[in-house]
Amino acid sequence: MKKIFLLSFAFLFTTMFVAQEDIDDLPLEDVVVNKIEQALPTATWESSYKDALNKSKKEKKPVLIYFTGSDWCGPCKVLDKKLFHSEKFVNIADKELILYEADNPRNKDLVEAKRLEETYNLIRKYHVKSYPTLVFVNHKGKMIGYKKGLILTEYYYPFINSVIENY
């Protein structure tokens, strides 16, 4: 019984160390390709609310305003990673939406003063009370859709698609 235990332990111990590769032993191109493959897809976000509305009018697409607290809101960080950096969302957004992020971080140095003032105006205008909040507007700034809080990522798509179809 002792021999079986020792042999099992020895086998487990050796395979544990043999199975691990040191990144220093990998060729540089393998490391770089692996890092590139892990990069998250990213959609295009407008730099100002006014630019988003103008682009909306020109391209006849709704604007999605994403209200977030980027440096303090845990659910916002989850939504950002699981929804906004998903390939499915990026494909929809590139074809069907104009995106604008209204960030209200605790560290006010993360956002320029003009943009922070714009965010405060939008918070008042659309009565945003919690984060994350998604507000869809037309090219005139009229609200056409509203969803607050974090839900399962897949539940956002029917909502987004219904806004797009009814636009």
Side-chain angles (χ1 to χ4, degrees):
M1 184 69 171
K2 275 187 181 181
K3 286 182 183 180
I4 293 173
F5 176 74
L6 287 173
L7 283 172
S8 299
F9 180 75
F11 176 75
L12 224 102
F13 186 74
T14 55
T15 56
M16 190 169 66
F17 285 107
V18 173
Q20 294 181 1
E21 286 186 36
D22 189 2
I23 197 165
D24 295 331
D25 296 337
L26 293 174
L28 181 59
E29 58 273 3
D30 288 351
V31 174
V32 172
V33 167
N34 197 14
K35 289 290 182 192
I36 290 171
E37 288 174 358
Q38 292 176 359
L40 296 172
T42 305
T44 304
W45 295 80
E46 295 304 311
S47 58
S48 76
Y49 179 62
K50 184 177 179 181
D51 289 346
L53 293 179
N54 288 336
K55 191 171 181 181
S56 170
K57 183 175 183 176
K58 181 178 157 187
E59 296 183 16
K60 296 178 178 43
K61 297 177 184 177
V63 177
L64 165 58
I65 308 169
Y66 169 47
F67 290 91
T68 181
S70 65
D71 67 342
W72 61 269
C73 174
C76 298
K77 292 175 184 180
V78 171
L79 185 64
D80 185 57
K81 183 178 180 184
K82 293 195 180 224
L83 179 67
F84 297 130
H85 285 96
S86 72
E87 199 168 316
K88 184 176 181 178
F89 177 82
V90 171
N91 289 336
I92 292 170
D94 285 346
K95 294 175 189 160
E96 307 289 344
L97 298 170
I98 307 299
L99 305 175
Y100 179 72
E101 181 181 71
D103 190 9
N104 186 14
R106 280 205 179 114
N107 179 0
K108 302 305 180 196
D109 294 336
L110 294 175
V111 180
E112 61 187 58
K114 182 179 176 185
R115 186 146 180 185
L116 198 55
E117 184 180 336
E118 188 173 59
T119 295
Y120 292 149
N121 290 337
L122 292 172
I123 288 169
R124 283 189 294 278
K125 180 176 182 173
Y126 297 112
H127 307 287
V128 174
K129 306 267 188 243
S130 63
Y131 297 98
T133 296
L134 306 181
V135 175
F136 286 87
V137 299
N138 64 15
H139 69 277
K140 294 180 179 179
K142 181 181 178 209
M143 188 186 317
I144 57 175
Y146 187 94
K147 184 158 295 289
K148 64 180 183 174
L150 177 65
I151 56 175
L152 290 174
T153 306
E154 286 304 311
Y155 293 157
Y156 285 98
Y157 293 110
F159 168 66
I160 293 168
N161 287 330
S162 72
V163 170
I164 292 167
E165 288 171 9
N166 293 320
Y167 186 70

